[in-house]
Amino acid sequence: MSASSYWMESAPPAAARPPLEGDLAADVVVVGAGVAGLCTARELARAGREVVVLEADRIAAGVTGHTTGKLTSLHGLCYERLRAGRGEAAASAYAEAQEDALRQVLRFCGERGVDAEIEHRPAYTYTLDEARAGTVRAEAAAAAGAGLRATAVTGTDLPYPVAAAVRVEDQVQFHPRRFLLALADDLVALGGRLHEGTRVTGLREGADCRLALEGGGTVHARDVVLATHFPLRCHTTLLIRLSVRRELVVAAPVAERHAPYGMYLTDEHGTRSVRTAPLGEGRRLLIVAGEPFTPGAGRVTGRYERLEAWARARLPGFAEAPRVRRWSAQDVHTTDGLPCVGHEHPDTQHVYVATGFGGWGLGNGVAAGRLLAAHLTGGPRPPWTELFDPRRRLPTRELPEVVRRQAGVARSYASGLRTGRRCTHMGCELGFDEAEQTWECPCHGSRFASDGTLLQGPATRSLGG
């Protein structure tokens, strides 16, 4: 990922978390030190479990360090879809997961005195198309029915008119890396262990789970949580549900008077997300995200240019900014739009996953931590347990999308056989991102530097390694 993420550069220096050398044993091993992994580990440490977190790179250096930093229960137009497809109880459970996550973050930061730049703002999902205004109003009604403080409005503080919008009150925008670094410190204070620069290359499940490390070490655990974005190990029943999408971000300092107050999202124009962050001295950082695409699809420079041109045309102050910052993020999506948190597959007893957050990993990651801790400690299960279960039934209506995605995977695999530039995960053909000079896998999202060095899994080996 791009090294120019504002969150990565503006956070205070992190405490050193040395790589693990040699062998180790623990009650629970959590693989991945993003929001889901750290929240899970902290909950387990609070419950008295001996927990170790293994991170291949740095804390919050992956998706969490490159997000837009929105902590909101309004996720596009999801509530009417949930209500229609799974019923009102499912929509309410999803809303409760998000609101509970928001409360947990506020409680933690308040109790620990964490300066995570928390700002309470309304969140909006809007349309510019009068023909879609009814759809947006239906979403507002479904979100309100699910328990959110949601209303349908036509007025916003955007510098251009909208046809309709859903507004949800008292949501949060914050600095995600500051939050995660504080979580890591608290985890260690509770007795947990955290090792950066420690890549897991293999997993064997059993009464004594064994994780193989790059370099030859072995870690033993009763239970394992895979919180690695796309799981290191993925059973077919889960694999067919998942797909990967990249999204771009441009950000520029603007005068306070040009900064929208709320957080905004539309799926129009190739998706556009807008928020701001405090810079001080009467300025704010205006953050715009969008242009989703499949990894390896190429033409990334042109996508950045489209996103930046939209921001310059629509948002006063952006065009006059002396510097535009660029970075990108990658998310795992599911065919039904719901996260997969729980047992990896129907037959597993000791391996758990947290994946499929679909661009909403901050709230869903915190919710995943509470859910996985309940699984592993035998505590009360939250209301969203069954909704997020990776073993949930695949509805018939999802089958066409599953078939379409798997056909794309098959084509990419066949192309990789011909070209020789193949991902070390499952052999799919890689595409080149000319903006970041990386090789990317369209099937499952592994990324490699231009020289073949592994940057991001689920692959565990560099090209040629």
Side-chain angles (χ1 to χ4, degrees):
M1 293 184 178
S2 170
S4 62
S5 162
Y6 173 73
W7 315 123
M8 297 297 293
E9 293 185 3
S10 61
R17 313 293 182 185
L20 176 61
E21 297 181 356
D23 300 340
L24 185 69
D27 293 340
V28 183
V29 171
V30 177
V31 186
V35 62
L38 288 178
C39 285
T40 301
R42 178 178 175 272
E43 290 294 322
L44 292 171
R46 290 179 66 199
R49 296 298 191 271
E50 184 183 23
V51 59
V52 174
V53 178
L54 304 178
E55 168 56 49
D57 191 4
R58 299 163 57 200
I59 296 169
V63 176
T64 308
H66 293 75
T67 178
T68 55
K70 292 180 178 180
L71 185 61
T72 170
S73 302
L74 184 61
H75 296 174
L77 300 173
C78 74
Y79 289 101
E80 174 58 18
R81 172 180 52 79
L82 275 172
R83 186 203 63 77
R86 294 180 178 269
E88 293 182 357
S92 296
Y94 189 84
E96 175 58 21
Q98 310 312 316
E99 290 290 283
D100 182 78
L102 193 153
R103 291 191 294 268
Q104 286 193 61
V105 171
L106 293 178
R107 185 182 307 117
F108 172 79
C109 291
E111 291 174 353
R112 300 298 188 279
V114 179
D115 179 14
E117 298 181 357
I118 288 173
E119 297 179 310
H120 294 262
R121 301 291 169 95
Y124 297 83
T125 296
Y126 70 91
T127 180
L128 303 179
D129 185 354
E130 290 288 350
R132 301 185 67 208
T135 299
V136 172
R137 287 192 289 269
E139 177 67 14
L148 301 182
R149 295 173 59 197
T151 54
V153 299
T154 55
T156 73
D157 71 325
L158 287 171
Y160 49 87
V162 304
V166 184
R167 173 177 168 136
V168 174
E169 305 295 336
D170 201 24
Q171 302 297 283
V172 165
Q173 57 187 24
F174 74 141
H175 194 303
R177 183 164 166 80
R178 286 175 177 264
F179 166 63
L180 257 67
L181 293 179
L183 269 183
D185 290 341
D186 200 57
L187 167 65
V188 173
L190 289 166
R193 294 184 61 173
L194 175 56
H195 296 280
E196 296 178 311
T198 304
R199 184 178 297 280
V200 175
T201 59
L203 168 61
R204 188 175 72 184
E205 183 183 3
D208 173 25
C209 294
R210 299 187 181 188
L211 297 96
L213 304 182
E214 188 177 60
T218 302
V219 178
H220 299 258
R222 182 180 184 277
D223 296 296
V224 176
V225 173
L226 300 177
T228 54
H229 188 50
F230 204 103
L232 166 74
R233 186 184 90 167
C234 199
H235 191 271
T236 303
T237 55
L238 177 59
L239 187 69
I240 62 174
R241 288 181 179 268
L242 305 180
S243 63
V244 185
R245 193 178 306 163
R246 293 189 65 74
E247 192 161 331
L248 306 179
V249 183
V250 294
V254 299
E256 188 98 34
R257 67 182 183 278
H258 291 318
Y261 182 78
M263 297 178 283
Y264 292 92
L265 177 68
T266 180
D267 60 6
E268 297 164 1
H269 309 289
T271 303
R272 295 293 183 259
S273 167
V274 175
R275 67 153 287 192
T276 65
L279 292 176
E281 299 179 349
R283 300 182 308 146
R284 294 187 69 85
L285 186 69
L286 183 51
I287 303 169
V288 181
E291 296 291 323
F293 63 98
T294 301
R299 302 186 300 278
V300 180
T301 300
R303 302 177 199 275
Y304 270 121
E305 290 172 351
R306 279 197 301 273
L307 185 61
E308 189 172 326
W310 182 90
R312 291 181 183 278
R314 291 278 186 170
L315 302 170
F318 202 98
E320 290 77 34
R323 178 191 175 197
V324 175
R325 185 186 295 267
R326 293 179 173 183
W327 72 87
S328 62
Q330 186 162 293
D331 292 295
V332 178
H333 294 254
T334 61
T335 50
D336 62 0
L338 292 169
C340 291
V341 181
H343 289 91
E344 182 212 355
H345 63 87
D347 298 322
T348 191
Q349 297 182 32
H350 299 286
V351 177
Y352 301 81
V353 296
T355 187
F357 298 151
W360 301 104
L362 293 177
N364 279 321
V366 176
R370 179 179 165 191
L371 173 51
L372 290 169
H375 273 298
L376 289 159
T377 63
R381 304 289 175 85
W384 53 93
T385 300
E386 292 186 7
L387 189 67
F388 287 12
D389 194 333
R391 302 167 298 180
R392 61 185 179 264
R393 182 179 59 86
L394 187 69
T396 302
R397 64 179 178 275
E398 290 183 38
L399 292 177
E401 180 65 12
V402 169
V403 170
R404 185 187 68 80
R405 290 181 180 180
Q406 294 311 305
V409 170
R411 286 192 299 271
S412 183
Y413 178 77
S415 297
L417 292 176
R418 293 193 301 270
T419 65
R421 177 59 78 169
R422 301 173 62 187
C423 181
T424 58
H425 176 230
M426 294 182 67
C428 291
E429 181 184 30
L430 299 173
F432 193 65
D433 179 337
E434 82 288 351
E436 298 190 19
Q437 296 290 294
T438 52
W439 292 98
E440 300 172 350
C441 176
C443 298
H444 311 113
S446 296
R447 303 179 70 235
F448 306 84
S450 57
D451 65 359
T453 302
L454 176 62
L455 299 175
Q456 181 176 350
T460 59
R461 293 181 290 112
S462 296
L463 300 179

